Short mmCIF file of all heavy atoms in Angstrom, two decimals:
data_model
loop_
_atom_site.label_atom_id
_atom_site.label_comp_id
_atom_site.label_asym_id
_atom_site.label_seq_id
_atom_site.Cartn_x
_atom_site.Cartn_y
_atom_site.Cartn_z
N LEU X 194 -5.32 1.83 -6.39
CA LEU X 194 -4.54 0.97 -5.51
C LEU X 194 -5.50 0.22 -4.60
O LEU X 194 -6.30 0.84 -3.89
CB LEU X 194 -3.58 1.83 -4.68
CG LEU X 194 -2.61 1.12 -3.73
CD1 LEU X 194 -1.58 0.30 -4.51
CD2 LEU X 194 -1.91 2.14 -2.83
N LEU X 195 -5.46 -1.11 -4.67
CA LEU X 195 -6.27 -1.95 -3.78
C LEU X 195 -5.36 -2.48 -2.68
O LEU X 195 -4.33 -3.10 -2.96
CB LEU X 195 -6.89 -3.12 -4.55
CG LEU X 195 -7.79 -2.78 -5.74
CD1 LEU X 195 -8.35 -4.06 -6.35
CD2 LEU X 195 -8.91 -1.84 -5.33
N ILE X 196 -5.73 -2.23 -1.43
CA ILE X 196 -4.89 -2.58 -0.29
C ILE X 196 -5.64 -3.54 0.64
O ILE X 196 -6.82 -3.33 0.95
CB ILE X 196 -4.50 -1.33 0.53
CG1 ILE X 196 -3.94 -0.23 -0.38
CG2 ILE X 196 -3.49 -1.69 1.60
CD1 ILE X 196 -3.68 1.08 0.34
N LYS X 197 -4.95 -4.58 1.10
CA LYS X 197 -5.53 -5.44 2.13
C LYS X 197 -5.82 -4.59 3.35
O LYS X 197 -5.01 -3.76 3.76
CB LYS X 197 -4.53 -6.55 2.50
CG LYS X 197 -4.20 -7.51 1.37
CD LYS X 197 -5.28 -8.54 1.16
CE LYS X 197 -5.32 -9.55 2.28
NZ LYS X 197 -6.32 -10.63 2.02
N LYS X 198 -6.99 -4.78 3.95
CA LYS X 198 -7.43 -3.92 5.07
C LYS X 198 -6.40 -3.90 6.20
O LYS X 198 -6.16 -2.85 6.82
CB LYS X 198 -8.77 -4.43 5.61
CG LYS X 198 -9.93 -4.32 4.63
CD LYS X 198 -10.48 -2.92 4.52
CE LYS X 198 -11.79 -2.90 3.75
NZ LYS X 198 -12.34 -1.55 3.58
N GLU X 199 -5.76 -5.04 6.46
CA GLU X 199 -4.81 -5.10 7.57
C GLU X 199 -3.46 -4.45 7.25
O GLU X 199 -2.60 -4.33 8.12
CB GLU X 199 -4.59 -6.56 8.01
CG GLU X 199 -4.00 -7.48 6.96
CD GLU X 199 -5.05 -8.15 6.08
OE1 GLU X 199 -6.19 -7.61 5.99
OE2 GLU X 199 -4.74 -9.21 5.50
N LYS X 200 -3.29 -4.04 6.00
CA LYS X 200 -2.03 -3.40 5.58
C LYS X 200 -2.19 -1.90 5.38
O LYS X 200 -1.30 -1.23 4.84
CB LYS X 200 -1.54 -4.05 4.28
CG LYS X 200 -1.22 -5.54 4.41
CD LYS X 200 -0.09 -5.78 5.39
CE LYS X 200 0.22 -7.28 5.50
NZ LYS X 200 1.36 -7.53 6.42
N VAL X 201 -3.30 -1.35 5.82
CA VAL X 201 -3.58 0.08 5.65
C VAL X 201 -2.95 0.88 6.79
O VAL X 201 -2.99 0.46 7.96
CB VAL X 201 -5.10 0.33 5.61
CG1 VAL X 201 -5.41 1.82 5.65
CG2 VAL X 201 -5.72 -0.32 4.38
N ASP X 202 -2.36 2.02 6.43
CA ASP X 202 -1.86 2.98 7.41
C ASP X 202 -2.18 4.37 6.87
O ASP X 202 -1.48 4.88 5.99
CB ASP X 202 -0.36 2.80 7.63
CG ASP X 202 0.19 3.75 8.70
OD1 ASP X 202 -0.53 4.68 9.11
OD2 ASP X 202 1.36 3.56 9.11
N PHE X 203 -3.22 4.98 7.39
CA PHE X 203 -3.68 6.26 6.87
C PHE X 203 -2.74 7.42 7.18
O PHE X 203 -2.91 8.51 6.65
CB PHE X 203 -5.09 6.57 7.41
CG PHE X 203 -6.15 5.65 6.88
CD1 PHE X 203 -6.87 4.83 7.74
CD2 PHE X 203 -6.44 5.59 5.51
CE1 PHE X 203 -7.85 3.98 7.26
CE2 PHE X 203 -7.42 4.74 5.02
CZ PHE X 203 -8.13 3.94 5.89
N THR X 204 -1.73 7.19 8.01
CA THR X 204 -0.75 8.25 8.29
C THR X 204 0.32 8.32 7.20
O THR X 204 1.11 9.26 7.18
CB THR X 204 -0.07 8.02 9.64
OG1 THR X 204 0.78 6.87 9.57
CG2 THR X 204 -1.09 7.86 10.75
N GLN X 205 0.36 7.33 6.32
CA GLN X 205 1.38 7.25 5.28
C GLN X 205 0.81 7.70 3.92
O GLN X 205 -0.39 7.55 3.66
CB GLN X 205 1.90 5.81 5.15
CG GLN X 205 2.54 5.24 6.40
CD GLN X 205 3.89 5.84 6.69
OE1 GLN X 205 4.60 6.28 5.79
NE2 GLN X 205 4.27 5.87 7.97
N ILE X 206 1.69 8.20 3.07
CA ILE X 206 1.30 8.49 1.69
C ILE X 206 0.84 7.19 1.02
O ILE X 206 1.45 6.14 1.21
CB ILE X 206 2.48 9.10 0.90
CG1 ILE X 206 2.85 10.46 1.49
CG2 ILE X 206 2.14 9.24 -0.58
CD1 ILE X 206 4.09 11.07 0.85
N LEU X 207 -0.26 7.26 0.30
CA LEU X 207 -0.90 6.12 -0.37
C LEU X 207 -1.60 5.18 0.61
O LEU X 207 -2.13 4.15 0.20
CB LEU X 207 0.08 5.33 -1.24
CG LEU X 207 0.81 6.11 -2.35
CD1 LEU X 207 1.81 5.21 -3.07
CD2 LEU X 207 -0.18 6.69 -3.34
N SER X 208 -1.58 5.52 1.90
CA SER X 208 -2.28 4.75 2.94
C SER X 208 -1.74 3.33 3.09
O SER X 208 -2.44 2.44 3.58
CB SER X 208 -3.79 4.70 2.66
OG SER X 208 -4.33 6.00 2.64
N LEU X 209 -0.49 3.12 2.71
CA LEU X 209 0.13 1.80 2.81
C LEU X 209 1.09 1.75 4.00
O LEU X 209 1.82 2.70 4.27
CB LEU X 209 0.95 1.49 1.55
CG LEU X 209 0.23 0.86 0.37
CD1 LEU X 209 1.10 0.94 -0.87
CD2 LEU X 209 -0.12 -0.60 0.67
N GLN X 210 1.10 0.60 4.70
CA GLN X 210 2.07 0.39 5.76
C GLN X 210 3.49 0.43 5.22
O GLN X 210 3.72 0.21 4.03
CB GLN X 210 1.82 -0.96 6.45
CG GLN X 210 0.60 -1.02 7.33
CD GLN X 210 0.47 -2.35 8.05
OE1 GLN X 210 1.32 -3.24 7.89
NE2 GLN X 210 -0.58 -2.50 8.84
N GLN X 211 4.44 0.69 6.09
CA GLN X 211 5.85 0.68 5.71
C GLN X 211 6.23 -0.69 5.15
O GLN X 211 5.78 -1.74 5.63
CB GLN X 211 6.73 0.98 6.94
CG GLN X 211 6.76 2.45 7.33
CD GLN X 211 7.65 3.27 6.40
OE1 GLN X 211 8.76 2.87 6.05
NE2 GLN X 211 7.16 4.44 6.00
N ASN X 212 7.06 -0.65 4.09
CA ASN X 212 7.63 -1.86 3.47
C ASN X 212 6.57 -2.80 2.90
O ASN X 212 6.79 -4.01 2.78
CB ASN X 212 8.50 -2.63 4.48
CG ASN X 212 9.60 -1.76 5.06
OD1 ASN X 212 10.34 -1.11 4.33
ND2 ASN X 212 9.69 -1.72 6.39
N ALA X 213 5.44 -2.26 2.53
CA ALA X 213 4.39 -3.09 1.95
C ALA X 213 4.82 -3.67 0.61
O ALA X 213 5.63 -3.06 -0.13
CB ALA X 213 3.12 -2.26 1.76
N ILE X 214 4.29 -4.86 0.30
CA ILE X 214 4.58 -5.53 -0.98
C ILE X 214 3.46 -5.18 -1.95
O ILE X 214 2.29 -5.53 -1.72
CB ILE X 214 4.67 -7.05 -0.79
CG1 ILE X 214 5.79 -7.41 0.18
CG2 ILE X 214 4.89 -7.75 -2.13
CD1 ILE X 214 5.80 -8.88 0.59
N VAL X 215 3.81 -4.51 -3.04
CA VAL X 215 2.82 -4.05 -4.01
C VAL X 215 3.03 -4.78 -5.33
O VAL X 215 4.15 -4.83 -5.86
CB VAL X 215 2.91 -2.53 -4.24
CG1 VAL X 215 1.84 -2.07 -5.22
CG2 VAL X 215 2.78 -1.79 -2.91
N GLY X 216 1.96 -5.32 -5.88
CA GLY X 216 2.03 -6.06 -7.14
C GLY X 216 1.74 -5.18 -8.34
O GLY X 216 0.67 -4.58 -8.43
N THR X 217 2.70 -5.09 -9.25
CA THR X 217 2.52 -4.44 -10.55
C THR X 217 3.66 -4.86 -11.46
O THR X 217 4.80 -5.02 -11.00
CB THR X 217 2.46 -2.91 -10.44
OG1 THR X 217 2.34 -2.36 -11.76
CG2 THR X 217 3.70 -2.33 -9.80
N SER X 218 3.38 -5.03 -12.74
CA SER X 218 4.42 -5.35 -13.72
C SER X 218 4.71 -4.17 -14.64
O SER X 218 5.45 -4.30 -15.61
CB SER X 218 4.02 -6.57 -14.56
OG SER X 218 3.94 -7.72 -13.74
N SER X 219 4.12 -3.03 -14.33
CA SER X 219 4.26 -1.84 -15.19
C SER X 219 5.42 -0.96 -14.75
O SER X 219 5.47 -0.55 -13.59
CB SER X 219 2.95 -1.04 -15.15
OG SER X 219 3.15 0.30 -15.57
N SER X 220 6.33 -0.65 -15.65
CA SER X 220 7.44 0.24 -15.34
C SER X 220 6.93 1.62 -14.93
O SER X 220 7.48 2.25 -14.02
CB SER X 220 8.38 0.38 -16.54
OG SER X 220 9.00 -0.84 -16.83
N ARG X 221 5.90 2.09 -15.60
CA ARG X 221 5.32 3.40 -15.28
C ARG X 221 4.79 3.42 -13.85
O ARG X 221 5.07 4.35 -13.09
CB ARG X 221 4.18 3.72 -16.27
CG ARG X 221 3.38 4.98 -15.93
CD ARG X 221 2.18 5.13 -16.86
NE ARG X 221 1.29 3.98 -16.84
CZ ARG X 221 0.36 3.77 -15.90
NH1 ARG X 221 0.19 4.65 -14.92
NH2 ARG X 221 -0.41 2.70 -15.95
#
């Protein structure tokens, strides 16, 4: 998972801020 530095939240699972927009086209 590559995250924009300003969208990081280390208190969250996966270190992503709440309601982050994640790009993927894979159902899995």
Side-chain angles (χ1 to χ4, degrees):
L194 183 67
L195 302 182
I196 310 173
K197 296 282 289 184
K198 295 282 191 182
E199 62 271 23
K200 298 297 180 178
V201 172
D202 182 348
F203 292 117
T204 69
Q205 300 287 333
I206 295 175
L207 302 177
S208 300
L209 273 167
Q210 287 184 0
Q211 283 283 316
N212 304 309
I214 300 170
V215 182
T217 178
S218 295
S219 161
S220 294
R221 173 187 57 82

